Amino acid sequence: MATAELGDSLDRRGFAQWPGAIGPAQLDALCAQPAVAAAADADAGDRELLRERWCGELAALLRARLAAAGLLAADAVAAQCTLFRKSASRNWKVTLHQDLSIPVAAPADDPRLQAWSRKRGRHFVQPPAELLQRLLAVRLHLDDCGAGDGPLRVVAGSHRHGRLDAAAAQALRAAHGETACTAARGDLLIMRPLLLHASSKATRPEGRRRVLHFLFGPREIGYSLHWSTAI
């Protein structure tokens, strides 16, 4: 897909797919990293991968390519990388939702900030939609993800409606339907966090679906907040 098409799809639909963004040799090297290769399939994921040198280098590569394609500002940073995996021993579903929480260094006293929480020692908060609209999620598929592997399902255009309650989310899905984002190994799925998305359990039990999910955003996020990690 041409860079202009990627930008247009991201603006209109809230997501874009970049086929073959990472080649087989680099994928093999990523999958050989201990944090990926030694990860137990009984565990659904790991949210702390940016602490790994190889992951920081991959984040920098993706950031540069996305910036060159006009999808990220030149001063954008990677704030989080999560490894998600589905397998025969760990098969799960995710209900329809938006990604509303971000990892920050410390709490801030601002009434516009909601739903403070702590996960694995990190602070998370739900900022205003204005900030969420400036963020970009990038999912790198380490394995093929077909219709039977529990791919992400998205409601195209739903990112344009701001924060949605459960009733509004269901109404949008009923009105516009869903798109299953199947992918080949090495493909990127680029999406706005406010895009409604869900996934089903895999129906192909012998399959495996591993995804590196990056969150990118502006270096300065405002609201007296700072990222807990910024690469």
Side-chain angles (χ1 to χ4, degrees):
M1 182 180 288
T3 56
E5 292 179 280
L6 288 170
D8 179 65
S9 180
L10 188 62
D11 289 342
R12 287 187 303 103
R13 302 195 297 167
F15 71 101
Q17 293 173 285
W18 187 332
I22 302 296
Q26 189 170 5
L27 286 168
D28 289 344
L30 291 172
C31 291
Q33 292 295 333
V36 178
D41 282 338
D43 183 4
D46 183 345
R47 297 180 182 274
E48 301 295 328
L49 288 181
L50 276 184
R51 66 176 181 260
E52 304 275 351
R53 180 177 176 179
W54 64 266
C55 191
E57 292 173 349
L58 176 60
L61 171 66
L62 292 174
R63 183 184 64 217
R65 296 187 66 184
L66 292 163
L71 303 179
L72 271 181
D75 64 346
V77 297
Q80 190 176 32
C81 179
T82 303
L83 171 64
F84 292 121
R85 51 182 167 266
K86 289 183 180 178
S87 66
S89 60
R90 185 68 179 183
N91 195 4
W92 38 275
K93 68 177 182 179
V94 179
T95 58
L96 190 69
H97 70 288
Q98 298 168 298
D99 290 340
L100 301 176
S101 294
I102 61 172
V104 295
D109 186 14
D110 189 311
R112 294 169 293 181
L113 303 174
Q114 305 175 27
W116 286 96
S117 63
R118 282 177 68 87
K119 301 173 185 176
R120 298 188 64 177
R122 290 189 185 268
H123 297 280
F124 286 79
V125 67
Q126 293 184 8
E130 175 276 331
L131 174 55
L132 294 170
Q133 289 165 346
R134 297 161 60 198
L135 306 182
L136 194 67
V138 179
R139 295 167 62 90
L140 169 60
H141 289 82
L142 301 179
D143 304 290
D144 292 340
C145 182
D149 296 309
L152 213 64
R153 307 189 316 274
V154 302
V155 180
S158 55
H159 67 300
R160 294 177 174 271
H161 296 267
R163 293 169 64 110
L164 296 165
D165 61 25
Q170 294 293 343
L172 275 174
R173 178 163 64 178
H176 299 287
E178 295 178 321
T179 299
C181 295
T182 56
R185 186 174 187 249
D187 290 358
L188 296 182
L189 172 61
I190 306 163
M191 56 188 281
R192 295 298 184 191
L194 285 174
L195 182 74
L196 286 169
H197 56 285
S199 69
S200 299
K201 287 186 175 183
T203 57
R204 192 171 66 89
E206 72 279 8
R208 194 182 201 196
R209 192 208 73 176
R210 294 171 296 175
V211 173
L212 289 173
H213 181 114
F214 289 87
L215 178 65
F216 291 92
R219 182 174 294 277
E220 301 297 332
I221 53 180
Y223 307 101
S224 300
L225 293 174
H226 302 280
W227 296 114
S228 58
T229 303
I231 294 177

